[in-house]
Amino acid sequence: MKKILKGISKFLLILLIFTNLLQGQQLNIPDKPKKIYPVNDYAGVLSHIQIQELNERLIQYSKKTSTEILISIVRDLYGEDPNFLASKWGNKWNIGKKYKNNGIIILLSINDKKISIQNGYGIEPYLTDFTTRRIIQKIKPLLKKNLYYEAIDFSIKEIFRIMKNEYINKENKKNHFSKWNFAFSISVFLIIFFFLYKKVIDPSSLNILFLTNILFKKKYSDNEDSFDGFGEGGNFGGGGSSENW
């Protein structure tokens, strides 16, 4: 009897240790960064140039449409469901604009060979479960060859195509015009008035006009390149799909 009790005690102890190890290996979603960039590669499968290129395209797309697409790449899910984790990630980081809920999460787990595409509530009418599943089916051959950049690149191109003309960021266009185009127009008007007043246009004056144009164009470009980061209050739960590759 003592041997049986001793055996049961050992079994329970081993089970307890194993359970604690599993709990210690669960995937914790990182805290929301102060500035969220589109690409978050925690598995280190993308090069710096690839991350930079994807970031630039997704930032410009967000400025044009207000839609935020977040790429999250992890090494292992540790048993977590990819759909649940992607949706939870989107909610924790508030991907998408407040009231629009137009965020999209593309989550890849390298060791598990799983991918999930999850949408904010506002994206659901355009990027359905069927379309996300079709995108995943198209990129599976690339993922099987470890061509992660190519798979992500194809995915976002498909999303751009499907979401064409949706959530156009008219507010940003209006702000850019009022701030820079108005200032530029006033400057050109003053320079032309100066030329007419003097009734002389010499090479030095042309240089001034050229430099002024370049100056305001540069300021306008700098304004376009500014980026405050993703995560302005979007909510998730609008559907999506996941598969193994």
Side-chain angles (χ1 to χ4, degrees), residues 116-131:
S116 174
I117 301 177
Q118 294 296 307
N119 311 326
Y121 289 107
I123 297 295
E124 187 177 11
Y126 315 106
L127 197 64
T128 63
D129 295 355
F130 173 77
T131 54

Side-chain angles (χ1 to χ4, degrees), residues 53-217:
E53 195 276 336
L54 290 171
N55 273 333
E56 288 176 358
R57 286 166 56 198
L58 292 173
I59 289 170
Q60 290 304 317
Y61 180 74
S62 177
K63 288 181 178 180
K64 181 181 178 182
T65 66
S66 79
T67 298
E68 298 179 357
I69 303 175
L70 186 81
I71 312 295
S72 295
I73 308 174
V74 298
R75 181 60 62 183
D76 206 308
L77 292 171
Y78 298 109
E80 293 275 6
D81 177 77
N83 287 337
F84 174 75
L85 185 66
S87 183
K88 186 178 177 182
W89 201 317
N91 280 322
K92 185 173 181 178
W93 285 18
N94 301 124
I95 302 302
K97 302 297 183 185
K98 194 173 183 180
Y99 304 120
K100 290 183 178 181
N101 298 315
N102 55 341
I104 301 170
I105 304 287
I106 301 177
L107 173 68
L108 287 84
S109 177
I110 305 304
N111 290 345
D112 299 293
K113 298 185 182 298
K114 291 183 179 181
I115 179 172
S116 174
I117 301 177
Q118 294 296 307
N119 311 326
Y121 289 107
I123 297 295
E124 187 177 11
Y126 315 106
L127 197 64
T128 63
D129 295 355
F130 173 77
T131 54
T132 54
R133 192 176 302 114
R134 188 168 61 181
I135 291 172
I136 292 174
Q137 286 294 327
K138 288 181 179 180
I139 66 172
K140 280 173 71 172
L142 295 171
L143 292 171
K144 288 178 180 179
K145 296 178 181 178
N146 298 333
L147 299 174
Y148 305 114
Y149 170 80
E150 289 77 5
I152 295 169
D153 176 64
F154 183 87
S155 299
I156 63 176
K157 284 179 180 177
E158 283 291 286
I159 293 172
F160 291 170
R161 182 183 62 81
I162 295 167
M163 295 288 296
K164 188 176 181 181
N165 298 326
E166 301 297 341
Y167 289 110
I168 300 300
N169 203 354
K170 296 178 181 179
E171 182 179 354
N172 279 352
K173 291 183 178 180
K174 183 178 179 181
N175 290 340
H176 288 325
F177 177 81
S178 62
K179 185 176 180 180
W180 296 114
N181 288 13
F182 177 77
F184 177 73
S185 300
I186 292 296
S187 300
V188 171
F189 174 80
L190 292 175
I191 292 171
I192 293 174
F193 177 81
F194 173 78
F195 289 156
L196 292 174
Y197 179 78
K198 292 291 186 179
K199 295 182 181 180
V200 175
I201 301 179
D202 54 40
S204 61
S205 298
L206 289 175
N207 288 337
I208 292 173
L209 179 60
F210 176 77
L211 290 173
T212 304
N213 188 15
I214 293 296
L215 177 63
F216 277 93
K217 185 177 181 181

